[in-house]
Amino acid sequence: MDFVGVEGKEFIFRNEPILFSGLGVGSWLNMEHFMVGMPGTDKQIRDTFAQVLGEEDAAAFFESFVMNFMTDADFVFLKEAGVNLIRVPFNYRLFIDDENPGEYKQEGFRYLDRLLEFCHKHEIFLLPDLHTTPGGQNPDWHSDNLTGIPQFWHYGVFLDQIAELWKAIAARYREETYLLGYDLLNEPFLMPKREGMLNRFYEKVTEAIRQVDPNHILFIEGDFFSMDFTDIQLPDDEQTALTFHFYPTVWDESLMEKDYDAAKRVRIEEEQLSKFDKLRERFGRPALCGEAGIDIRRDDIPFSMQLIEENLELFRKYRLSWTLWSYKDSQWMGVAFPKNDTPWIRFTNKIRSVWSHRSQMKLADELMDEIGSKYTDNLSKDLKYELQFQLRGLLYRLEEEYILKPALQELSREEILSLPESFRFENCDFFEPYQELLKKYSWRKNAE
């Protein structure tokens, strides 16, 4: 059958090398606060809706969100833009009920079934990405971590749960030709300093998947939010590949300044990217940039597009596959977004008048300085960085109670239930220059 495979440092499809250019479909099957415009983690957002609407109506709301967010019209747009791969983050809670972990929920399988139907119809590959785990595999909001402590690494039962979940997913989809593979764990970080813990996780999951699926590629991410591969050892499996994340402007915000010398910025970014490029030589396997992107400045679209194009030029230079972050969101990083006059944007604009994830992060940083000063005049930078995640866990809870819930309570039941329709493709705009960049740098388009 026509599965994409690995031969040395290349992805191979129908006996020919293939490169991938695409988008992540973030905040769809795992909601992220800044991307949907509401504070909290996925679970907290869902719990708040349930408190306001009741369990039944809240379930109807989130079902509507999933069904409206991605439709056939979205795939027509993606295909026209030259996309040949979508990376789709999902939350483990779509499959596992923490109160009844012995039996899988069916909604996750139902959503993936529907997604694969679209992928077959439009000949776009799918890479499902496990974005959350029980307890959280990293301390940040996008792993649906409520406490800022990555407890996933502290309990063997959690690791067993995830290995069995991947096995169940692989058993169901082992014959799917438009399934590229499995992105086994998004952005692990802050696991206990026990030698080889992350490698043992990959070995355990690989063994579980290979009991049922010999066909699909297993994608391995590095430590420190998928940027550090120093201690990574690949499982003994020929069909494995590497996937890294590339956000130079996150770690050095000055690169986003308009008066920053563009040639210098590109040199700095190329120096960073070349290190990831060398992963192919070190491991003898292909590599995919699973995430790259910027916060789009709506007051200066040309400059935002320049920053994106600089990244795409580097991917072209190094002949690297990529999926940019992200396809659609509430007017932050997405190519597409609900129009200004849609109910979702009107609602979230009210929230944004009093909250943003950046102001939250700044507050956590300031509070950590104040707390640390009670104990020492020289708070360790590393300890401060670790503890501010835990402090943000407290802020999530306060924001849920005093920002999101009151905002929802101002709306009627009917107004809340109508919000997801804002994400239907016909109710969205998109950045035409971004679409043109996707076409220009698409490996699919260039191959044609």
Side-chain angles (χ1 to χ4, degrees), residues 28 72 75 100 135 144 146-147 187 195 199 202 212 234 249 264 288 293 296 304 314 323 379 412 441:
W28 177 40
D72 190 74
F75 278 83
N100 184 27
D144 201 11
L146 308 181
T147 66
E187 296 190 347
E195 183 177 353
N199 291 325
Y202 286 134
V212 296
L234 293 185
T249 57
K264 180 180 178 181
L288 163 74
I296 296 174
S304 295
L314 290 175
T323 55
L379 179 61
S412 68
Y441 289 95

Side-chain angles (χ1 to χ4, degrees), residues 151-165:
Q151 299 185 56
F152 176 72
W153 303 106
H154 295 264
Y155 299 96
V157 65
F158 289 162
L159 275 70
D160 292 342
Q161 270 189 315
I162 292 305
E164 287 303 307
L165 174 59

Side-chain angles (χ1 to χ4, degrees), residues 47-62 408 411-414 416-417:
D47 286 350
T48 303
F49 272 80
Q51 291 169 30
V52 174
L53 285 175
E55 294 287 346
E56 185 175 340
D57 281 344
F61 173 91
F62 290 106
L408 285 172
L411 302 180
S412 68
R413 171 183 177 276
E414 291 71 23
I416 296 174
L417 291 176

Side-chain angles (χ1 to χ4, degrees), residues 307-370:
L307 293 174
I308 293 170
E309 185 164 18
E310 288 170 359
N311 279 188
L312 291 175
E313 279 283 2
L314 290 175
F315 294 144
R316 173 182 282 181
K317 178 177 180 178
Y318 285 91
R319 289 188 59 79
L320 279 163
S321 295
W322 47 267
T323 55
L324 299 185
W325 190 267
S326 180
Y327 169 50
K328 186 188 288 185
D329 69 3
S330 182
Q331 300 189 356
W332 200 270
M333 296 180 73
V335 181
F337 45 87
K339 296 176 182 177
N340 286 332
D341 61 352
T342 56
W344 192 286
I345 296 302
R346 292 199 302 269
F347 172 65
T348 56
N349 278 346
K350 291 181 180 179
I351 291 177
R352 282 175 174 164
S353 68
V354 295
W355 172 87
S356 75
H357 74 293
R358 292 197 177 281
S359 64
Q360 175 205 81
M361 294 164 69
K362 181 181 179 182
L363 176 59
D365 190 66
E366 293 171 351
L367 289 172
M368 272 310 310
D369 283 333
E370 183 176 345

Side-chain angles (χ1 to χ4, degrees), residues 22 81 93 156 177 217 232 272-273 290 299 357 360 368 415 424:
R93 298 180 196 276
T177 54
I217 302 170
I232 293 294
Q272 295 181 33
L273 187 65
D299 62 342
H357 74 293
Q360 175 205 81
M368 272 310 310
E415 287 173 324
R424 288 192 68 82

